[in-house]
Amino acid sequence: MKNLDEIFNSKTIAVIGASAKPGTAGNDYLKVLTNFRDSSDIYPVNPNYEKIMGLKTYSSVLEVPEEVDLAYVLVPAKITPRVIEDCIEKGVKGIVVMSGGFSELGNEELEQKIASSVRKSGTRMVGPNCMGVYCPSAGVTFPTVIPGLKFPREGGKVSLISQSGGVAEYYVGLLAERGGRISKLVSTGNEADIKFTEYLKYLADDDETEVIAGYVEQIREGKNFLETTRKLAEKKPIVLWKVGRKEAAKRAASSHTGALAGSSKVYSGVFKQTGVTEAHSLDELIDYATTFSCLEPKAIEKVGIVTVPGGLGVDISDACEEEEIEIPLLSDGLQKRLRDSLPPYTQVMNPVDLTFAALENPDLLKKSIEIMGDSKEIDIIVVSDTGETIRSITPTLKECREKSEIPIAMVIPTLSILDKKTKENIRILTKAGIPIYPTSQGFAKSMNALTFYH
Amino acid sequence: MKNLDEIFNSKTIAVIGASAKPGTAGNDYLKVLTNFRDSSDIYPVNPNYEKIMGLKTYSSVLEVPEEVDLAYVLVPAKITPRVIEDCIEKGVKGIVVMSGGFSELGNEELEQKIASSVRKSGTRMVGPNCMGVYCPSAGVTFPTVIPGLKFPREGGKVSLISQSGGVAEYYVGLLAERGGRISKLVSTGNEADIKFTEYLKYLADDDETEVIAGYVEQIREGKNFLETTRKLAEKKPIVLWKVGRKEAAKRAASSHTGALAGSSKVYSGVFKQTGVTEAHSLDELIDYATTFSCLEPKAIEKVGIVTVPGGLGVDISDACEEEEIEIPLLSDGLQKRLRDSLPPYTQVMNPVDLTFAALENPDLLKKSIEIMGDSKEIDIIVVSDTGETIRSITPTLKECREKSEIPIAMVIPTLSILDKKTKENIRILTKAGIPIYPTSQGFAKSMNALTFYH
């Protein structure tokens, strides 16, 4: 695992195929990387330039005077074998081959050639046909193409292994919208050398990773995967989204990364058996990773709902009961305790509806959570808010989460349209261990995922 | 229906309970309204002020020198009966009682009192306990509380009847994020006078409404509703989201607007029988309204997928096949025609994967759509994009949608995190008749909804 750690936590990076020409991949990536980390340990390689972006540029990786931990390769496929030989000779620890044009376009032979080169050496390879790695704590990142998306510099608890570079990229953005941050991310590409299961093993042992999420088109070493995950899922939660479940999807997957997709039922069976949480959509992959990064595994059978204005208590109740999770009518004693602490126009049966009272007096929310939490009548409290109250209740919720034993979650259907100031609270809440869900359905399914993992 | 039309398209509005005190409902609403429409036909009413926000203020609605189409009532519940008597005496056409404190808090008698007053008169009442109406083409709006949300001034094709003011508000915001705009919206509150079914009838006859969406906690006149919708669903698509399907949800609904929620199965049966499209979540309510506002009813059995980078073709294929919609392997002839027009590294089996080619040359997208559209092998083309290409392909897609007979839809999973410039294209696309879905599941389910309505 030494090499993999050096790839994610690389201290020196060569960018082979770096370019001064705007709009090229070699230019884009160098720009992204120099903006993200200290430039003094970045070495552009391109025989046509002496300097790019003010950095001394080398005609070959062999000329770089320092040790190179990681080499990003952005040259055309046919030149790749020679570049890789150079990297091996240089003793580079890891190579990320971003270039496409290998098995995904039928060029199996070329791919085998580079794979067998690295296999004979001490060097390891990510890709080819991939976006590489992102590890914010080490200042390693990869080029983003989605307009408006910048990878956060702040690291988090979720690591992602993705067999699609595109999915990897927007996963980071959509997770960040929920307040989640990434520990380590790899876009694995064609997996000619390092395969999905090996990343999984590495991340299971990585102290900075608390949850592993994966986007899977195909597992290339089925038996190895089965044996590995059985051991790993005990260590930390693994959430996998397996696509290509049906005929046409397999066609699409095959054209995308040269992988052959297996049957849906086989994978679902394996996941269940090995304790892997299966996601069936992008939303679920985000929901479940958010859940496991915020909440301890626990059986969630009874949910207490607290709402501020917006009428979402009904929807959360529907969604929970659809997933066979109970919204118990609170006991007379508990209702009385709530009644004594809350204004007369609030509702205390469950959902507890605070209406506008929580906006003017966040302390009412605190009291409700404390009283419900102490009762042991429910396993979790979910607070629903459509935006107006978020800023005023964030400190209260954070305090409750820290002091009280009862876990807290939030459903915020308006998440994507909130203004910047309100959105800043989302990160505070998630960091405090309060997962945020944009849909009631996502919350309810996540509670079942938490129960399953428990 | 005359009164209802005068409520939505009101030319003169009295705001009874208007206030100069910031933070009060009477201040907030007057501010929102004066920002939204010409102030010269707004009449604040409050005996404690001579002027509010520079507008002459009357001590009673009876003193307003002009005819009053609509009176917003924001005074405490106990004063409401007297204010309503004044409105009736004045000959106000419609009253919106925003104030709460009626049947939803057990004060049935007070609610019956105001209901029977208006029933004996020529005046009609929206609410009580509601947010009122929003009709951008007439400059009528209602107070928004979600931070960052401004109701668009531009009108659209979707009308919404909502039994929750909160849901009404964030529906407008979330629909706008997809490029959709509202024709007319009403938050119906306790429905003491005008009930859900009457709004439905009005909107079915309204030329500016092409799709009717509804958030339903309870239908108060079941038989009337059944007979009405049977006739109406033939005129235009009706999409209803019925919440409170289960026990706890009924408790929540009951506390929220004083309504009693009916059994889930009964409603589903009625919807199916009457041709109403049933939504099971907020997302579906938005998805289906977007669909019907962009696409003609049609049976969608076979889908053609075109993708740019991002790997989403696999996910759309999965989602369609999960919903029993076919992603047919294109015929040899059609594949050959595509192959002849596209670069060699693209895929033509279906999904047609254009990779980065579409970014550099949007004409390739146009050719793909034309060739696939002409073939009659598919019923719709769905284009998937994660953001990078949206700006360059928008004009092309708009042109294809206008010139070609084949309907076009888009799946954009990154919708919520796109930058402002890219987001501007969303409205252009939706306006051109291309519905936007953030999830593949939403697209697939919507195609079944289109088939069902057809």
Side-chain angles (χ1 to χ4, degrees), chain A residues 80 180 211:
Chain A
T80 306
V211 189

Side-chain angles (χ1 to χ4, degrees), chain B residues 222-283:
Chain B
K223 207 181 151 206
N224 188 7
F225 172 78
L226 192 69
E227 286 164 5
T228 307
T229 48
R230 204 187 301 277
K231 281 178 240 156
L232 300 187
E234 285 171 21
K235 289 195 190 175
K236 56 186 78 167
I238 300 173
V239 186
L240 298 180
W241 176 28
K242 171 71 180 70
V243 298
R245 296 191 291 269
K246 309 270 178 163
E247 260 330 294
K250 282 179 208 171
R251 221 152 56 218
S254 146
S255 79
H256 184 230
T257 54
L260 280 174
S263 135
S264 146
K265 277 188 190 161
V266 171
Y267 278 104
S268 291
V270 167
F271 290 167
K272 203 164 236 174
Q273 207 184 326
T274 55
V276 165
T277 304
E278 185 179 10
H280 296 88
S281 65
L282 177 64
D283 287 342

Side-chain angles (χ1 to χ4, degrees), chain A residues 290-303:
Chain A
T290 304
T291 305
F292 289 121
S293 68
C294 288
L295 304 175
E296 292 295 314
K298 181 183 173 182
I300 303 289
E301 285 160 4
K302 293 168 188 229
V303 171

Side-chain angles (χ1 to χ4, degrees), chain A residues 66-91:
Chain A
E66 308 291 329
E67 272 199 17
V68 173
D69 291 332
L70 185 63
Y72 258 81
V73 175
L74 301 106
V75 301
K78 58 181 181 190
I79 311 174
T80 306
R82 208 198 38 177
V83 165
I84 285 182
E85 290 299 342
D86 287 352
C87 289
I88 293 170
E89 194 180 332
K90 171 71 183 166

Side-chain angles (χ1 to χ4, degrees), chain B residues 184-411:
Chain B
K184 294 180 180 62
L185 179 160
V186 57
S187 147
T188 67
N190 298 357
E191 301 181 6
D193 177 32
I194 312 173
K195 295 182 175 52
F196 197 93
T197 310
E198 196 172 346
Y199 293 112
L200 209 53
K201 275 189 203 165
Y202 166 70
L203 293 171
D205 283 331
D206 175 46
D207 289 338
E208 288 180 352
T209 298
E210 294 188 15
V211 189
I212 303 170
Y215 169 86
V216 184
E217 295 185 348
Q218 182 225 28
I219 299 293
R220 284 174 178 81
E221 299 170 317
K223 207 181 151 206
N224 188 7
F225 172 78
L226 192 69
E227 286 164 5
T228 307
T229 48
R230 204 187 301 277
K231 281 178 240 156
L232 300 187
E234 285 171 21
K235 289 195 190 175
K236 56 186 78 167
I238 300 173
V239 186
L240 298 180
W241 176 28
K242 171 71 180 70
V243 298
R245 296 191 291 269
K246 309 270 178 163
E247 260 330 294
K250 282 179 208 171
R251 221 152 56 218
S254 146
S255 79
H256 184 230
T257 54
L260 280 174
S263 135
S264 146
K265 277 188 190 161
V266 171
Y267 278 104
S268 291
V270 167
F271 290 167
K272 203 164 236 174
Q273 207 184 326
T274 55
V276 165
T277 304
E278 185 179 10
H280 296 88
S281 65
L282 177 64
D283 287 342
E284 285 185 24
L285 192 65
I286 299 170
D287 283 336
Y288 298 165
T290 304
T291 305
F292 288 122
S293 68
C294 288
L295 304 175
E296 291 295 313
K298 181 184 173 181
I300 303 289
E301 285 160 4
K302 294 170 188 225
V303 170
I305 303 174
V306 180
T307 62
V308 293
L312 214 72
V314 199
D315 184 38
I316 299 177
S317 304
D318 270 346
C320 284
E321 294 184 294
E322 203 75 56
E323 295 291 319
E324 300 187 341
I325 300 167
E326 198 188 339
I327 311 293
L329 178 66
L330 302 182
S331 69
D332 289 348
L334 181 51
Q335 284 197 42
K336 193 180 173 306
R337 261 170 289 154
L338 286 164
R339 185 78 291 157
D340 291 346
S341 300
L342 298 174
Y345 52 86
T346 57
Q347 300 289 338
V348 297
M349 292 185 290
N350 192 21
V352 170
D353 187 0
L354 298 178
T355 71
F356 284 93
L359 180 63
E360 286 146 26
N361 184 3
D363 204 45
L364 295 177
L365 181 64
K366 190 174 156 187
K367 277 186 196 155
S368 313
I369 292 173
E370 281 171 357
I371 295 169
M372 289 169 88
D374 286 346
S375 75
K376 314 280 173 205
E377 292 183 22
I378 48 170
D379 302 313
I380 192 168
I381 292 172
V382 57
V383 178
S384 165
D385 194 328
T386 57
E388 197 190 1
T389 324
I390 292 172
R391 280 161 74 177
S392 71
I393 67 176
T394 292
T396 306
L397 283 173
K398 189 168 176 274
E399 190 192 335
C400 288
R401 182 71 176 101
E402 281 157 3
K403 289 192 184 162
S404 169
E405 271 177 41
I406 188 103
I408 302 171
M410 283 190 88
V411 173

Side-chain angles (χ1 to χ4, degrees), chain A residues 104-105 145-149 164 166-167 170 173-174 177 215 217 241-249 251-253 255-256 280-283 310-315 317-318 321-322 327-329 345 347 349-351 353 386-388 413-414 416-419 422 439 441, chain B residues 104-105 145-149 164 166-167 170 173-174 177 215 217 241-249 251-253 255-256 280-283 310-315 317-318 321-322 327-329 345 347 349-351 353 386-388 413-414 416-419 422 439 441:
Chain A
E104 86 281 4
L105 291 186
V145 295
I146 296 171
L149 176 63
S164 154
V167 170
Y170 55 79
L174 292 166
E177 194 183 30
Y215 169 87
E217 294 185 348
W241 176 27
K242 171 70 179 73
V243 298
R245 296 191 290 269
K246 309 272 177 160
E247 261 329 298
R251 221 152 55 218
S255 78
H256 184 229
H280 296 88
S281 65
L282 176 64
D283 286 341
L312 213 71
V314 198
D315 183 39
S317 304
D318 270 347
E321 294 185 294
E322 202 75 56
I327 311 293
L329 178 65
Y345 51 85
Q347 300 289 338
M349 292 186 290
N350 192 22
D353 187 0
T386 57
E388 196 191 2
T414 50
S416 66
I417 55 169
L418 295 175
D419 64 359
T422 309
T439 69
Q441 291 74 27
Chain B
E104 86 281 4
L105 291 186
V145 294
I146 296 171
L149 176 63
S164 154
V167 170
Y170 55 78
L174 293 166
E177 193 181 30
Y215 169 86
E217 295 185 348
W241 176 28
K242 171 71 180 70
V243 298
R245 296 191 291 269
K246 309 270 178 163
E247 260 330 294
R251 221 152 56 218
S255 79
H256 184 230
H280 296 88
S281 65
L282 177 64
D283 287 342
L312 214 72
V314 199
D315 184 38
S317 304
D318 270 346
E321 294 184 294
E322 203 75 56
I327 311 293
L329 178 66
Y345 52 86
Q347 300 289 338
M349 292 185 290
N350 192 21
D353 187 0
T386 57
E388 197 190 1
T414 50
S416 66
I417 55 169
L418 294 175
D419 64 359
T422 309
T439 69
Q441 291 74 25

